[in-house]
Amino acid sequence: MTLFFGADYYPEQWPQSRWETDAKLMKEAGFNVVRLAEFAWSRLEPSDGCFDFSWLDQAVDLLTEQGLKVVLGTPSASVPPWLFHAHPDMAIVDEDGTTRTYGSRRDASPAHPAYCHYAVRIARHMAGHYAQHPHVIGWQVDNEFGDRCYSEASRRAFQVWLKNKYGTLENLNATWGSVFWSHLYTSWEHIPVPRKTTHAKHNPGLHYDYYCFQSELYTEFQQAQLEALREQVGFEHLITHNLMGFSYGNLDYFKLAAPLDFVSWDNYPSAFWREAVTANPAHIALGHSAMWGLKQQNFWVMEQQSGASGWHVMSPSPQPGQISLWAYQAIAHGADGIVFFRWRSYPKGAEQNWHGILDHHGQPGRRYHEVKKMGEQLGRLGPGIAGSLPEHQVAILHSYESRFSFQIQPDSPQFSYEAHVAAYYSALHRKNIPTALVSAPSDLTSYKLVLAPALRLVSEETVQHLGAYVRQGGVLVVTPRSGSRTMTNAIVETPLPGLLAELCGVTVEEYDALPSSMTRRLKFVGSESVVNSSLWSDVLAPTTAQILAVYDEGYVAGKPAITCNSVGQGRVIYIGAMGDGSFVQTIVDYVLSTVQVKPALKIPETPSVEVTERWQGEQQLIFVLNHGAESVTLPLEGSYLDLVSEEHLENHLTLDPYGVRILTQPPVAGLETRK
Ligand code: GLA
């Protein structure tokens, strides 16, 4: 197996006379793959039905002469002017009813039949043309699906979708509770899309269905292209889509990823819209863990940051070492492909300020030399790493259903589902416990600990599944709002946590959304330790569970806040409160003290240092990554070989600023055995 290493290249943006230079520089950098063409529709089909692959053929040939493999993008993320002009009603319409103007990308609605037709047509033509090319190895369908659309085409498609889902209007009206505010529908055609209303928001049943519908629309849009590609290339080529990590929550990525051969995503640790200077290692890791968890399978980073990011403003440039650190971090979490965005910064167009490996002038500089050094290292290490598997001891249940529901009603003005999940992930990450984000129906048997943060929408099947996991010895942690809604986004009519109440051995006697100024102290039973909670309080009434902590102030003083229920061989811990990072860390530290999980390497906890592991058969590869600008020396138990520097390490381990080590020991039977 190969570890893929390369860049996103846009030959259509450069004179042909430059292509060979680029191809040679790429080869010298140790690249073995390029992604091409995902924004080249207007060059590939300059007018309706006139296809021109000649320029791309030449670019592909030049690149492949240098030994590079090619991943081609289908170009539907950016429609050519002639197509939009012919069908202006394919425009995306915002929630407030504004029709977006052509001129960026993702301009067209996936509900529009003409857009779908043309997108599939060019995908089929491209695939037919390149099916036999010996160096084309894969396809990326479109790029970064997203943007909900509220257009006329979407409204018509939504009504059909609802008819298929509910069968009758009686059923729909009953499920949504349309009788509220007199919305009993008597015709499918009367059903609106949830654009801005005069007053409060739309019916949460309708709103939730719309979000599910929009998500499915993109999945179907992808499926149509996927089938066109498969017709031509069968299973000879691998097919993916470029997803947007954990931070994008408008699509059910589990469903989007299901038909793909592998997941790929774009990783911009210091994107200009974030706190750029201090790229947060846990947040980057969260993206990788979420993308790994979509198929519980290794993934690619199809766009890995290689320079300052920017549109109208810029992020700081990655510090020396940071580009390769971030790329190694991706590998550490299960990436089998690293493709840098982008090869060369383009002096024109909307992304003039987005920097690639080469600056606008095209001369190799600091960033090129750093990437080249990594290319040399991977030339040596890649075959040993490729295909090795990360090992996650803990899983967090990631639910797009709950995410959609919280987007409509977060309940507390301070609550964010993403932040809640991220806080638990970060607390585990701080302890270097490898954690995957998986869907509730996934096979959980390999995880020693499973967390269900704010798993709001819960089905009977999920309860059965979690119950089986716990009875066989699993430990499940449940946090507030879990089980509070049905799968159609209605509030359950039984005491919370609804369908999870029996498994948790507890009911919620009452709950309280705390104002931002308020904290509520909790006290652990049988100990003097206290911790401040905030944001939310569930006051618990145990049925079969034991009390682990009680509230220690206010009118709820003495009432249970955290409980633990023994079920079969396992346990369910219900955390009835929420809080800031230190609250979550306290909870996670407590839970970790009761389960058999451990980091891959015993070193003192150091905020900038991340440890994770992959296994190549019986051989453990321990990635130690320094996210800090200072070098770090840590005591080390045992002796290791660092594969990056080829040094033998004993007693201590020094990491350069943004330095990376990959430690291994010869496999010794019985010493480090896999589960
Ligand atoms: C995304 C896109 C790329 C590019 C980068 C930088 O990830 O996929 O085409 O626009 O962002 O903005």
Side-chain angles (χ1 to χ4, degrees):
M1 243 193 124
T2 319
L3 201 68
F4 286 97
F5 190 63
D8 301 306
Y9 184 46
Y10 301 92
E12 69 275 22
Q13 295 171 0
W14 307 101
Q16 200 175 334
S17 54
R18 168 74 193 199
W19 297 351
E20 193 173 359
T21 308
D22 284 330
K24 285 184 172 157
L25 283 171
M26 289 181 196
K27 186 188 179 178
E28 283 166 25
F31 286 2
N32 54 15
V33 73
V34 276
R35 181 193 64 177
L36 303 173
E38 85 282 6
F39 288 114
W41 197 340
S42 62
R43 285 293 305 275
L44 295 168
E45 190 182 0
S47 60
D48 192 349
C50 297
F51 295 97
D52 175 13
F53 298 116
S54 57
W55 64 272
L56 187 56
D57 290 345
Q58 286 165 26
V60 169
D61 287 347
L62 278 172
L63 291 158
T64 56
E65 272 166 27
Q66 298 300 324
L68 295 150
K69 301 285 181 201
V70 171
V71 172
L72 290 170
T74 69
S76 47
S78 203
V79 297
W82 60 259
L83 176 52
F84 195 87
H85 188 73
H87 301 275
D89 58 339
M90 69 171 55
I92 293 271
V93 175
D94 285 338
E95 198 179 348
D96 68 1
T98 310
T99 302
R100 283 198 219 161
T101 310
Y102 179 81
S104 179
R105 57 179 172 181
R106 295 243 71 83
D107 301 286
S109 170
H112 196 280
Y115 174 44
C116 301
H117 165 78
Y118 281 94
V120 169
R121 189 175 77 174
I122 189 156
R124 183 177 291 116
H125 271 79
M126 276 180 89
H129 189 81
Y130 291 103
Q132 305 305 326
H133 198 292
H135 298 287
V136 173
I137 57 165
W139 295 82
Q140 173 188 303
V141 176
D142 202 288
N143 187 62
E144 294 185 334
F145 287 129
D147 287 354
R148 291 179 179 134
C149 176
Y150 299 80
S151 64
E152 214 16 61
S154 302
R155 191 174 69 90
R156 280 194 297 274
F158 181 46
Q159 290 164 348
V160 172
W161 186 88
L162 290 170
K163 210 168 178 175
N164 287 335
K165 175 167 179 181
Y166 291 104
T168 65
L169 285 165
E170 291 68 33
N171 190 12
L172 172 140
N173 283 325
T175 308
W176 286 357
S178 314
V179 69
F180 189 79
W181 283 349
S182 202
H183 294 151
L184 288 167
Y185 293 102
T186 52
S187 163
W188 298 100
E189 283 74 42
H190 297 168
I191 300 172
V193 294
R195 285 193 192 170
K196 262 197 182 148
T197 54
T198 48
H199 197 52
K201 288 214 173 188
H202 278 267
N203 179 308
L206 178 151
H207 215 142
Y208 174 74
D209 271 337
Y210 198 71
Y211 284 5
C212 295
F213 155 73
Q214 283 282 312
S215 181
E216 281 183 36
L217 206 54
Y218 279 106
T219 306
E220 281 169 18
F221 183 79
Q222 173 183 263
Q223 186 63 26
Q225 289 195 42
L226 219 138
E227 284 168 14
L229 294 177
R230 290 272 191 236
E231 267 171 29
Q232 305 295 324
V233 302
F235 288 85
E236 293 300 307
H237 294 177
L238 297 173
I239 303 179
T240 187
H241 168 70
N242 183 29
L243 294 89
M244 291 183 274
F246 177 74
S247 55
Y248 192 74
N250 291 5
L251 292 185
D252 186 331
Y253 272 169
F254 289 109
K255 293 188 179 140
L256 193 76
L260 299 173
D261 291 316
F262 67 100
V263 163
S264 66
W265 78 288
D266 40 29
N267 181 27
Y268 294 106
S270 114
F272 67 90
W273 55 85
R274 287 200 206 104
E275 279 298 313
V277 189
T278 50
N280 181 325
H283 285 181
I284 315 170
L286 173 60
H288 294 309
S289 298
M291 295 300 95
W292 186 89
L294 294 179
K295 293 176 85 72
Q296 301 202 52
Q297 192 181 295
N298 287 3
F299 58 92
W300 284 29
V301 178
M302 198 59 98
E303 296 182 9
Q304 173 64 49
Q305 186 166 357
S306 64
S309 65
W311 288 329
H312 54 297
V313 292
M314 274 177 238
S315 76
S317 190
Q319 303 278 302
Q322 256 183 333
I323 297 174
S324 43
L325 167 80
W326 292 332
Y328 271 118
Q329 184 190 19
I331 295 172
H333 284 274
D336 277 345
I338 299 289
V339 184
F340 290 104
F341 184 86
R342 45 186 288 143
W343 170 243
R344 177 175 171 188
S345 323
Y346 187 52
K348 300 168 195 167
E351 297 199 333
Q352 283 171 304
N353 278 334
W354 202 288
H355 294 76
I357 295 169
L358 302 184
D359 280 321
H360 301 89
H361 54 62
Q363 305 302 314
R366 168 174 74 83
R367 299 193 304 280
Y368 175 80
H369 291 294
E370 181 174 328
V371 165
K372 186 175 170 198
K373 186 172 163 200
M374 185 169 179
E376 281 159 16
Q377 291 166 349
L378 290 183
R380 188 163 46 81
L381 305 176
I385 297 173
S388 62
L389 300 172
E391 189 156 283
H392 302 97
Q393 300 169 48
V394 178
I396 289 179
L397 302 183
H398 180 196
S399 159
Y400 286 97
E401 286 101 352
S402 297
R403 221 166 150 168
F404 293 170
S405 170
F406 281 119
Q407 286 167 0
I408 299 162
Q409 295 155 299
D411 288 352
S412 153
Q414 276 77 250
F415 180 76
S416 141
Y417 175 83
E418 293 75 20
H420 186 65
V421 171
Y424 275 92
Y425 182 88
S426 300
L428 289 155
H429 182 267
R430 195 183 177 90
K431 300 284 165 188
N432 288 317
I433 303 299
T435 301
L437 269 72
V438 302
S439 68
S442 306
D443 179 4
L444 301 173
T445 44
S446 65
Y447 301 108
K448 299 200 176 109
L449 174 65
V450 172
L451 279 68
L455 188 64
R456 191 190 230 183
L457 272 61
V458 169
S459 66
E460 275 291 354
E461 294 74 48
T462 298
V463 178
Q464 299 303 328
H465 184 57
L466 295 178
Y469 164 73
V470 174
R471 274 188 294 280
Q472 284 157 28
V475 177
L476 175 69
V477 174
V478 178
T479 78
R481 310 317 285 146
S482 295
S484 61
R485 300 251 171 159
T486 66
M487 294 312 288
T488 54
N489 203 26
I491 293 176
V492 298
E493 296 183 36
T494 56
L496 302 188
L499 293 176
L500 290 169
E502 193 182 337
L503 191 60
C504 295
V506 82
T507 58
V508 177
E509 198 174 275
E510 59 174 312
Y511 50 76
D512 201 359
L514 306 183
S516 57
S517 54
M518 193 169 167
T519 58
R520 202 166 259 170
R521 206 170 47 243
L522 259 73
K523 188 170 172 317
F524 287 88
V525 173
S527 109
E528 287 309 303
S529 61
V530 292
V531 62
N532 272 336
S533 69
S534 54
L535 212 93
W536 193 269
S537 297
D538 277 348
V539 175
L540 305 180
T543 46
T544 54
Q546 291 185 341
I547 301 168
L548 295 181
V550 295
Y551 291 104
D552 195 33
E553 61 180 319
Y555 76 98
V556 294
K559 295 278 195 177
I562 302 179
T563 57
C564 178
N565 195 35
S566 298
V567 182
Q569 311 286 306
R571 283 173 292 141
V572 184
I573 301 173
Y574 190 93
I575 314 290
M578 293 185 184
D580 61 10
S582 81
F583 170 84
V584 174
Q585 193 70 57
T586 306
I587 300 298
V588 164
D589 290 354
Y590 163 75
V591 174
L592 289 179
S593 73
T594 71
V595 292
Q596 294 288 319
V597 299
K598 63 176 176 61
L601 192 68
K602 208 171 153 202
I603 48 165
E605 190 183 314
T606 313
S608 68
V609 177
E610 178 181 17
V611 177
T612 186
E613 64 189 309
R614 286 176 68 150
W615 286 81
Q616 188 65 280
E618 292 296 309
Q619 190 176 27
Q620 188 187 24
L621 303 169
I622 305 173
F623 290 75
V624 192
L625 308 136
N626 180 15
H627 291 268
E630 308 293 329
S631 78
V632 180
T633 298
L634 299 167
L636 184 68
E637 287 180 19
S639 65
Y640 292 89
L641 169 67
D642 169 26
L643 296 174
V644 181
S645 65
E646 299 185 291
E647 287 173 317
H648 282 275
L649 303 177
E650 233 174 61
N651 302 324
H652 66 267
L653 160 73
T654 298
L655 292 154
D656 291 335
Y658 306 117
V660 176
R661 303 253 192 199
I662 306 174
L663 306 185
T664 191
Q665 289 174 318
V668 179
L671 241 185
E672 276 293 0
T673 48
R674 307 203 59 199
K675 283 180 290 191

